């Protein structure tokens, strides 16, 4: 038994080493990608029910690899978030998003009173002591109305350090920056926490949307999330909407804002501008 145990540990350690060296390889490639300007933001439209008018978008990170083509974040986001590169990359993402907003406003492709671009914020990026300064710096650098920028945070960020979270959110909120809770329902934040947060929008996670028309549990969870949002006076958006049936179910439950392949996949800035120009 002891021998087996040792083997088990040895095997585990070996597997960890493989994973660790692979991480290091990805990390050093990512550093090069960052300094060689291979990171991109793509934009996925967010629409209102009925008119299907584009009211905003979510900025999503991509890696334009010279040999392997366009790589989505699932292949590298964990490595990025666990390396110190997340701080520089996070600042770049914020600056690029603000630059994009500024261009859309200059070319009058969006309405400054209604359009909002959401940016995903990783927990370590949020915890950085100068996070508030970084966000405000990016907004000032590109001279955009603060209300045009929204930050997506996860429940994980909230429960890690509730007081620091609330302080930072309130400070940014005072300047007009909006917040949404991403992947809502997949984390562990309690309602008493949520109630204390200056959050404008809950995003219904795509894992609940996927089977909402076939799975009674998921349908119930969506009803519960919608009830929570309404009692906390928060707006709602459903992500990962792929079918008309999902759309109709969600709308019947009281959700009016949508994001998903049914409307558009994430697209590059050029294509996003075309979508806006053609009236959304
Ligand atoms: P997320 O924030 O939950 O983003 C939603 C994901 O769902 C995106 O994947 C999007 O492309 C995908 N999606 C959109 N519509 C549909 C649909 O109808 N069906 C399906 N099956 N999927 C859909 P993506 O772009 O691969 O991003 C994955 C995750 O990587 C994101 O999940 C987010 O957690 C992270 N991420 C992306 N960009 C950034 C970033 O700039 N910073 C940080 N910190 N994380 C990012
Ligand atoms: Ca998100
Ligand atoms: Ca999400
Ligand atoms: Ca997700």
């Amino acid at each position: 038994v002891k021998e087996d145990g040792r083997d088990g540990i040895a095997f585990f350690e070996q597997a960890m080493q493989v994973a660790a060296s692979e991480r290091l390889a990805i990390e050093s490639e990512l550093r090069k990608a960052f300094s060689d300007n291979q990171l991109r933001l793509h934009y996925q439209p967010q629409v209102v029910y009925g008119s299907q008018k584009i009211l905003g978008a979510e900025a999503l990170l991509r890696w334009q690899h010279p040999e392997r083509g366009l790589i989505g974040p699932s292949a590298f986001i964990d490595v990025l978030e666990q390396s110190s590169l997340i701080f520089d990359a996070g600042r770049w993402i914020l600056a690029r998003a603000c630059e994009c907003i500024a261009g859309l406003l200059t070319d009058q492709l969006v309405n400054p009173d209604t359009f909002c671009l959401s940016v995903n914020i990783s927990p370590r990026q949020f915890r950085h002591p100068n996070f508030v300064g970084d966000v405000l710096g990016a907004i000032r650098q590109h001279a955009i109305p603060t209300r045009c920028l929204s930050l997506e945070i996860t429940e994980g960020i909230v429960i890690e350090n509730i007081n620091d979270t609330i302080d930072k959110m309130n400070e940014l909120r005072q300047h007009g920056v909006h917040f949404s809770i991403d992947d809502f329902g997949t984390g562990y934040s309690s309602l008493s926490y949520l109630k204390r947060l200056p959050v404008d929008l809950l995003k219904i996670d795509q894992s609940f949307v996927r089977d909402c028309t076939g799975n009674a549990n998921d349908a119930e969870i969506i009803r519960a999330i919608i009830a929570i949002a309404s009692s906390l006076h928060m707006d709602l958006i459903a992500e990962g909407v792929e079918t008309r049936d999902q759309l109709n179910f969600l709308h019947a439950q009281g959700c009016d804002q949508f994001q998903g392949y049914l409307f558009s996949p994430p697209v590059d800035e050029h294509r996003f501008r075309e979508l806006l120009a053609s009236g959304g």
Side-chain angles (χ1 to χ4, degrees):
V1 171
K2 211 175 178 184
E3 290 267 313
D4 283 345
R6 277 223 192 96
D7 281 357
I9 289 167
F11 175 78
F12 186 59
E13 278 175 348
Q14 206 179 11
M16 296 255 291
Q17 267 162 27
V18 171
S21 67
E22 200 180 318
R23 297 188 84 80
L24 281 176
I26 297 174
E27 186 182 329
S28 79
E29 264 203 273
L30 269 172
R31 283 187 190 280
K32 187 162 170 7
F34 182 65
S35 57
D36 289 355
N37 287 317
Q38 291 169 12
L39 297 186
R40 302 279 181 273
L41 287 185
H42 278 200
Y43 303 91
Q44 185 171 37
Q46 299 174 328
V47 305
V48 193
Y49 188 82
S51 72
Q52 304 213 350
K53 215 179 131 40
I54 296 176
L55 76 159
E58 177 176 7
L60 292 157
L61 188 62
R62 299 289 181 265
W63 177 359
Q64 186 67 58
H65 193 283
E67 286 111 44
R68 282 181 278 156
L70 195 67
I71 304 175
S74 58
F76 62 85
I77 196 76
D78 286 353
V79 175
L80 182 68
E81 288 184 334
Q82 283 169 45
S83 93
S84 60
L85 191 58
I86 187 60
F87 302 117
D88 283 336
R91 277 186 284 266
W92 177 84
I93 290 164
L94 281 164
R96 185 74 266 284
C98 291
E99 186 186 18
C100 173
I101 296 169
L104 298 178
L105 290 169
T106 300
D107 296 337
Q108 300 190 335
L109 287 165
V110 297
N111 180 343
D113 298 327
T114 54
F115 181 81
C116 193
L117 182 66
S118 306
V119 173
N120 290 283
I121 301 299
S122 93
R124 285 182 70 211
Q125 184 185 4
F126 186 90
R127 289 280 161 250
H128 190 282
N130 200 38
F131 177 68
V132 170
D134 288 343
V135 174
L136 296 177
I139 289 170
R140 284 192 195 117
Q141 187 192 343
H142 295 283
I144 58 159
T146 42
R147 63 151 305 287
C148 292
L149 183 70
S150 167
L151 305 179
E152 294 194 5
I153 64 172
T154 53
E155 291 165 275
I157 289 183
V158 176
I159 52 172
E160 233 174 68
N161 185 340
I162 182 82
N163 292 322
D164 175 60
T165 303
I166 291 175
D167 287 350
K168 283 180 168 164
M169 288 175 77
N170 276 334
E171 201 177 336
L172 286 166
R173 210 3 162 49
Q174 272 159 22
H175 286 88
V177 177
H178 295 274
F179 283 93
S180 50
I181 303 271
D182 200 3
D183 305 338
F184 186 72
T186 63
Y188 300 95
S189 59
S190 71
L191 292 183
S192 58
Y193 277 11
L194 269 181
K195 207 173 66 179
R196 295 173 55 196
L197 298 175
V199 170
D200 309 276
L201 183 86
L202 292 186
K203 293 195 87 171
I204 303 177
D205 190 59
Q206 58 185 51
S207 62
F208 304 125
V209 172
R210 196 173 299 129
D211 296 323
C212 68
T213 55
N215 181 314
N217 286 329
D218 289 346
E220 265 323 306
I221 289 170
I222 284 178
R223 285 193 194 96
I225 290 173
I226 291 175
I228 290 167
S230 115
S231 71
L232 296 176
H233 307 290
M234 292 174 184
D235 281 337
L236 266 177
I237 184 166
E239 68 176 7
V241 179
E242 296 181 354
T243 69
R244 293 236 132 241
D245 284 352
Q246 291 166 346
L247 174 70
N248 292 333
F249 172 83
L250 288 157
H251 182 249
Q253 304 308 315
C255 181
D256 284 324
Q257 299 180 28
F258 305 94
Q259 180 185 338
Y261 296 162
L262 180 63
F263 305 98
S264 170
V267 293
D268 66 19
E269 186 173 356
H270 178 74
R271 180 74 191 124
F272 183 51
R273 285 169 152 269
E274 284 179 350
L275 291 174
L276 288 167
S278 69

